[in-house]
Amino acid sequence: MPLKWLDRLRRSVPSEWGTWLEVARAIGAFRSPSRKERQLNALWAVLIFAAGAIPSALSSASVAEFSEGALAAVFGGVLAFSGLLVGFLVTLMLFTGRLGSTQALDVETLRDYGSRLRYLLASQAVTLAYALVVAVLCLIYLVVFFAGMPLLVHSVVLAIVGGSLAQCVVRATLLPVQIFELHDAHLDDELNARVQESNRRYER
């Protein structure tokens, strides 16, 4: 059953945003099905965010003194990385959602396989969200920089940028493993399908 506050929020927004809330809730359930895993995910998220946010906040005074060209080079690189990662993740998610040769799989195996694919999609969706957040935060910091806002604002925004970027980079390291796992599963499906086909021909 959905949480009461989530249900009320879903009813108070347009249908497409209500669907987004439901999908976000489903992603959270697939990523953290148990309380222990939710706590572990939250702990790692906080540690990784802090590892990026603290150095970024401490360096905010130096960053605020950057020339416009230097700032554009640094944040342009971060935006390019985020954009590249977004495009790659969208393509990967579309490919991940395509099942291989499942005709030879029994119901239980197919259910387990579908659960694993949903878990991979949920993980990739979270990484995609971080990449989008990093891009938006970079644009916000550029506004803060060129508007000449106080150093405290620089520190807060830059800390959030750094923490989100750390999350994005760390989660990006999971992608090669996920790609290998995806292809390995597809190859197993193809092999099982060929074995079943060979067995049927032999029985004839």
Side-chain angles (χ1 to χ4, degrees):
M1 295 294 291
L3 297 175
K4 291 183 178 180
W5 68 268
L6 182 61
D7 193 36
R8 288 195 296 268
L9 180 61
R10 192 180 69 250
R11 290 197 300 266
S12 64
V13 298
S15 58
E16 57 184 349
W17 289 104
T19 302
W20 183 90
L21 291 171
E22 282 296 306
V23 172
R25 178 176 174 272
I27 288 174
F30 278 112
R31 286 191 68 237
S32 307
S34 65
R35 180 178 180 182
K36 181 179 179 180
E37 191 167 354
R38 283 195 298 271
Q39 293 173 343
L40 189 61
N41 283 338
L43 175 62
W44 274 94
V46 170
L47 291 176
I48 294 170
F49 187 89
I54 294 174
S56 299
L58 294 176
S59 63
S60 59
S62 300
V63 175
E65 298 298 325
F66 277 10
S67 64
E68 294 182 2
L71 188 75
V74 172
F75 280 82
V78 175
L79 286 170
F81 168 76
S82 299
L84 181 64
L85 189 58
V86 166
F88 178 75
L89 280 166
V90 169
T91 304
L92 180 61
M93 290 177 71
L94 290 173
F95 183 73
T96 301
R98 297 178 182 176
L99 293 173
S101 300
T102 58
Q103 294 87 351
L105 301 179
D106 56 46
V107 175
E108 290 300 323
T109 304
L110 183 59
R111 182 179 291 113
D112 293 339
Y113 184 49
S115 297
R116 187 56 189 168
L117 282 184
R118 291 188 183 95
Y119 181 84
L120 289 175
L121 285 169
S123 177
Q124 293 162 9
V126 172
T127 307
L128 174 62
Y130 273 115
L132 292 171
V133 167
V134 168
V136 172
L137 289 172
C138 284
L139 296 176
I140 292 175
Y141 183 78
L142 290 176
V143 172
V144 170
F145 180 86
F146 288 109
M149 293 186 180
L151 183 60
L152 178 60
V153 180
H154 281 260
S155 300
V156 171
V157 177
L158 197 59
I160 300 174
V161 171
S164 300
L165 182 60
Q167 287 276 9
C168 193
V169 171
V170 171
R171 294 192 63 82
T173 62
L174 298 175
L175 296 178
V177 178
Q178 294 177 353
I179 293 171
F180 174 84
E181 183 178 1
L182 180 63
H183 283 285
D184 185 59
H186 284 173
L187 288 173
D188 284 342
D189 294 340
E190 291 291 339
L191 179 61
N192 290 333
R194 294 297 177 88
V195 169
Q196 291 291 335
E197 183 180 354
S198 298
N199 290 338
R200 286 194 298 268
R201 289 179 180 178
Y202 180 77
E203 291 173 356
R204 292 176 184 175

